[in-house]
Amino acid sequence: MRRFLLFSLPLLIASCIYAGDNWSDILARKNGKAVFYWYPNNVSISDSKDIIDGIEHDLAFAFVEFINERYDVSLEIEWIKTDSFQEVMDRVRTGSGGVFGASSISITPERQTYLNFTPPYLADVAVLVSNSKVPIARTTEEFKEIFQGLTAVSIPNTTLFEAISDLEKGQDLNFNVQQVQNSGQIIDYIANTENTFGYIDLPNFLVAIDDNSNIRRQFFHPIKLKGLGMIYPKDSDWGTPVNDYFKSAQFQLDKNEIIIKYLGEDVSGIIDRISKSAEIGPFEEIVISNREKELQYEELLAASLREQERSRTNNILILVTVVAVLILLLVYISNVIKSKANKVLLDQQGTIEKRNEQLQALNDEKNDLIKILAHDLRSPLATIRGMSTILGKNETLTEEEHKLTEYITQSSEKMDGMITKILDVDAIESGKHNLKQESFDMRQLISSIMEDHLQEAKKKDIELTIASDDSVIVSADRFYTSQIVENLLSNAIKFSEKGKVVKIAAWDEGNYGRICVLDEGPGFSKEDEKKLFKKYQHLSAKPTGGETSVGLGLSIVKTYTEMMNGKVSYKTKEGEGTEFLIDLPKGTVATA
């Protein structure tokens, strides 16, 4: 006897009627009634649902719908609840006509002598389950040792009870037997009582294992019968409509849909596969659920840990001995290695000291050269500046010539300042840059720098434009700021094709004064961007007028900007140009 989750059918009509309409009368009248006796057999620990539900309920209505359509009759169903599974079989056995029993009844040869069965609608497989405190038996010998004297839980007058008796006799064991009324009580009793076990339908088990971790499946001695079917009286004339439906393609469709509805696709697939196999083995034929896999894994893991604990005690002395030997060996090897390493380090230290001496000598030589270079450059620059000053006082010069002499004077002064800043050996050695922070108008500075590069741009037919707020006051070193703008403007001209436009702009941007240099050059590739501000980097773009480039310009821009607490950023698009943005802290306007 079997019952599945949600199989419970409520009491609709309390009646002593043992007969349903004969099939021949229904065909003659075109209407009639079939009576279904049932007994609740759910696996849920909670109370049964108060609605007509379950696999057999839906199959019964599918059967009636099929009959009504096939034979053009109007057939109704009456459900009658009984007090036991045995009562279901007794009423059907002594009944007549359209009397049926729907209580997950196993098909057996003995029952087939006094009852008619519909073709099976579900595989009839039962597995042995136990309380979680009962160990899993892994061999036949372990099974006998573990199960001797345990309490078996089962339902009288069922195939489950017969299976317990067969197991007791076949394995020469003695069980205490606890009788219950249905499969749900088997699950509940085993889950709540130690040292108990019993047979339970595979579908019931697969559904119940997800809700109850206090039960487990034992791998040995599963049973498989012909299947589960509904019953009707032996002398009933309903054989024709019953076989018409249960052997039809419509029944297969209805059955699959209903079973999946209540048990899910996973459980349904397992049951369907088992129903097609001739035999069932303890391990191979039953695919356990994911939840059972977790529980079995936890048990096997616990057993493995216990085994490891036992072996750990036996191995600890060996381990201590091995560790001690290894430590002594490591100490010896360490001393040998350390001795060799010390010798190597001493040799390397001598080499490093000699190399440091050589580097220091080269550094001193470099500093001397810088000082000589600075001194030698300043002398001719002073001469150039003096001569241009004298020329500028000549009143016979034209306006254009006066501009040229003024330009020479400014350039020589700028060169002198550059030498002072860049070639200051003491500043280089100490890491200081002799910043002269002052407030000045950026607009005037960039206008002056653009004037200096007009001739350079004119040679390549490049247009220089300037846009600026009325006054952009920044706090920075005027010389370093000039170097930043000159490098950016020079690069823009150097890498732009003839006929392009280079734009310079300045405006206030929050707490900063912003300088923008925008060109229509080749832009930067992704590879160029990775090395954009590094020293001595030659990028993919080449000067368009044969100019030279040492790869220091952008490095100087970044260094000088950050040195003055500024920020440098850029926007570029390969093939369309680049926009450099320099943000320097705002300055204050001098007052009279």
Side-chain angles (χ1 to χ4, degrees):
M1 187 274 287
R2 310 285 181 265
R3 193 64 189 168
F4 298 93
L5 183 64
L6 302 178
F7 273 27
S8 59
L9 302 173
L11 178 59
L12 295 180
I13 300 176
S15 173
C16 294
I17 299 175
Y18 285 70
D21 292 338
N22 289 322
W23 177 243
S24 57
D25 294 337
I26 293 173
L27 286 176
R29 296 194 309 264
K30 293 296 182 180
N31 64 71
K33 178 176 65 176
V35 177
F36 279 79
Y37 290 97
W38 68 281
Y39 174 66
N41 194 32
N42 68 299
V43 303
S44 176
I45 295 176
S46 61
D47 294 335
S48 301
K49 293 188 176 181
D50 289 330
I51 58 172
I52 297 178
D53 212 344
I55 291 177
E56 289 173 329
H57 164 267
D58 286 8
L59 277 176
F61 274 97
F63 166 60
V64 169
E65 183 179 350
F66 177 87
I67 294 303
N68 286 339
E69 183 176 346
R70 172 65 66 89
Y71 293 98
D72 192 23
V73 298
S74 178
L75 184 64
E76 297 179 354
I77 294 180
E78 179 181 357
W79 292 96
I80 301 177
K81 180 181 178 182
T82 66
D83 293 327
S84 69
F85 165 73
Q86 186 62 45
E87 185 181 349
V88 173
M89 292 201 298
D90 290 343
R91 289 201 178 190
V92 175
R93 181 177 183 179
T94 58
S96 63
V99 175
F100 294 86
S103 225
S104 303
I105 303 172
S106 297
I107 302 172
T108 67
E110 189 268 333
R111 290 173 180 171
Q112 286 179 310
T113 62
Y114 57 84
L115 289 169
N116 275 329
F117 280 86
T118 66
Y121 62 83
L122 201 61
D124 189 5
V125 177
V127 293
L128 202 62
V129 301
S130 66
N131 182 272
S132 60
K133 297 295 180 62
V134 177
I136 295 176
R138 290 172 289 185
T139 64
T140 302
E141 290 72 18
E142 281 188 0
F143 182 85
K144 291 182 178 181
E145 180 181 348
I146 292 170
F147 279 76
Q148 177 71 345
L150 297 186
T151 297
V153 186
S154 195
I155 309 166
N157 303 316
T158 65
T159 54
L160 298 180
F161 196 92
E162 292 173 7
I164 292 291
S165 300
D166 292 342
L167 180 64
E168 188 175 28
K169 294 175 184 178
Q171 299 299 318
D172 193 22
L173 297 171
N174 291 312
F175 302 142
N176 302 313
V177 179
Q178 174 66 42
Q179 297 183 3
V180 294
Q181 294 182 340
N182 57 44
S183 296
Q185 292 181 5
I186 293 178
I187 294 291
D188 291 349
Y189 196 98
I190 292 174
N192 295 309
T193 311
E194 296 183 10
N195 298 320
T196 56
F197 73 97
Y199 275 104
I200 194 70
D201 308 283
L202 177 62
N204 273 341
F205 169 72
L206 291 174
V207 173
I209 192 68
D210 286 333
D211 300 322
N212 199 322
S213 60
N214 288 331
I215 61 173
R216 68 174 57 175
R217 180 172 67 94
Q218 295 287 339
F219 293 124
F220 285 90
H221 308 296
I223 57 175
K224 178 182 178 184
L225 301 178
K226 289 184 178 180
L228 300 179
M230 299 182 188
I231 57 174
Y232 58 103
K234 196 70 174 174
D235 60 355
S236 172
D237 63 348
W238 277 70
T240 297
V242 166
N243 287 322
D244 279 352
Y245 176 65
F246 282 89
K247 292 183 178 180
S248 69
Q250 184 61 47
F251 164 69
Q252 295 298 328
L253 294 174
D254 293 340
K255 178 188 72 171
N256 292 338
E257 181 179 345
I258 292 169
I259 291 175
I260 290 174
K261 171 184 174 182
Y262 290 106
L263 301 180
E265 292 191 16
D266 292 341
V267 175
S268 174
I270 293 170
I271 295 170
D272 181 64
R273 184 177 61 79
I274 291 173
S275 68
K276 297 176 182 177
S277 62
E279 300 293 337
I280 178 171
F283 297 100
E284 297 81 10
E285 297 299 325
I286 299 179
V287 179
I288 59 179
S289 68
N290 289 334
R291 176 59 179 153
E292 187 188 10
K293 288 178 182 178
E294 293 175 5
L295 295 174
Q296 298 289 9
Y297 173 77
E298 290 171 3
E299 171 61 24
L300 293 174
L301 179 60
S304 175
L305 291 174
R306 290 193 295 271
E307 182 65 26
Q308 290 178 11
E309 186 64 29
R310 286 194 295 268
S311 63
R312 186 182 304 165
T313 303
N314 296 329
N315 293 334
I316 192 167
L317 291 176
I318 297 175
L319 180 61
V320 169
T321 302
V322 171
V323 169
V325 171
L326 287 175
I327 290 174
L328 291 174
L329 182 60
L330 288 173
V331 169
Y332 172 76
I333 294 174
S334 177
N335 287 334
V336 173
I337 293 174
K338 187 181 295 184
S339 176
K340 292 182 177 179
N342 286 338
K343 185 177 183 304
V344 172
L345 287 174
L346 288 173
D347 293 341
Q348 290 179 345
Q349 184 177 352
T351 302
I352 291 172
E353 289 176 353
K354 291 180 180 179
R355 183 60 177 165
N356 284 339
E357 291 175 359
Q358 294 173 350
L359 291 175
Q360 184 61 46
L362 289 174
N363 191 51
D364 292 341
E365 185 177 343
K366 179 261 299 179
N367 289 342
D368 291 339
L369 180 60
I370 290 175
K371 291 177 181 179
I372 294 170
L373 178 61
H375 180 270
D376 289 348
L377 284 174
R378 280 199 171 101
S379 295
L381 281 174
T383 302
I384 293 172
R385 187 167 61 251
M387 293 177 64
S388 62
T389 302
I390 294 172
L391 285 174
K393 294 179 180 180
N394 191 337
E395 296 180 357
T396 62
L397 296 179
T398 65
E399 182 179 352
E400 182 67 23
E401 289 171 339
H402 275 293
K403 286 184 179 180
L404 287 175
T405 57
E406 184 179 346
Y407 178 77
I408 293 170
T409 301
Q410 291 175 353
S411 295
S412 60
E413 288 175 350
K414 188 182 295 183
M415 181 68 76
D416 186 65
M418 188 182 301
I419 292 171
T420 302
K421 289 280 188 181
I422 297 178
L423 301 182
D424 189 332
V425 176
D426 293 333
I428 294 173
E429 291 298 315
S430 63
K432 299 177 181 178
H433 299 279
N434 293 331
L435 279 175
K436 184 181 179 182
Q437 207 84 1
E438 59 179 317
S439 294
F440 60 90
D441 190 348
M442 177 60 66
R443 177 189 54 183
Q444 296 176 359
L445 180 67
I446 62 176
S447 295
S448 173
I449 294 172
M450 192 181 76
E451 287 286 338
D452 293 345
H453 288 79
L454 284 174
Q455 292 300 319
E456 180 183 352
K458 188 175 181 181
K459 291 179 182 178
K460 299 179 70 173
D461 195 21
I462 292 174
E463 180 184 354
L464 297 184
T465 66
I466 184 169
S468 175
D469 291 348
D470 292 340
S471 179
V472 183
I473 307 300
V474 297
S475 176
D477 185 295
R478 189 187 298 267
F479 169 75
Y480 286 136
T481 305
S482 176
Q483 291 295 300
I484 291 169
V485 178
E486 284 195 357
N487 272 293
L488 291 177
L489 183 57
S490 177
N491 277 351
I493 297 171
K494 186 182 300 182
F495 292 97
S496 293
E497 296 287 348
K498 289 185 177 182
K500 297 294 184 178
V501 177
V502 175
K503 299 177 181 180
I504 310 175
W507 66 87
D508 288 330
E509 184 74 22
N511 294 325
Y512 294 91
R514 174 166 288 181
I515 309 165
C516 172
V517 178
L518 175 66
D519 64 51
E520 297 177 347
F524 297 112
S525 66
K526 294 297 182 183
E527 289 300 318
D528 287 341
E529 292 187 62
K530 295 177 182 178
K531 50 187 179 179
L532 198 59
F533 294 107
K534 297 179 181 179
K535 293 181 180 180
Y536 306 110
Q537 296 296 321
H538 292 280
L539 307 181
S540 58
K542 304 299 180 185
T544 57
E547 300 96 333
T548 60
S549 174
V550 296
L552 277 172
L554 293 179
S555 172
I556 291 172
V557 167
K558 182 176 176 61
T559 299
Y560 287 178
T561 301
E562 292 177 351
M563 191 169 62
M564 294 185 291
N565 299 319
K567 298 182 293 185
V568 58
S569 59
Y570 69 94
K571 301 174 184 177
T572 187
K573 189 169 184 181
E574 195 169 2
E576 296 185 12
T578 303
E579 178 182 24
F580 279 98
L581 302 171
I582 305 297
D583 291 336
L584 295 174
K586 272 189 178 180
T588 57
V589 180
T591 58

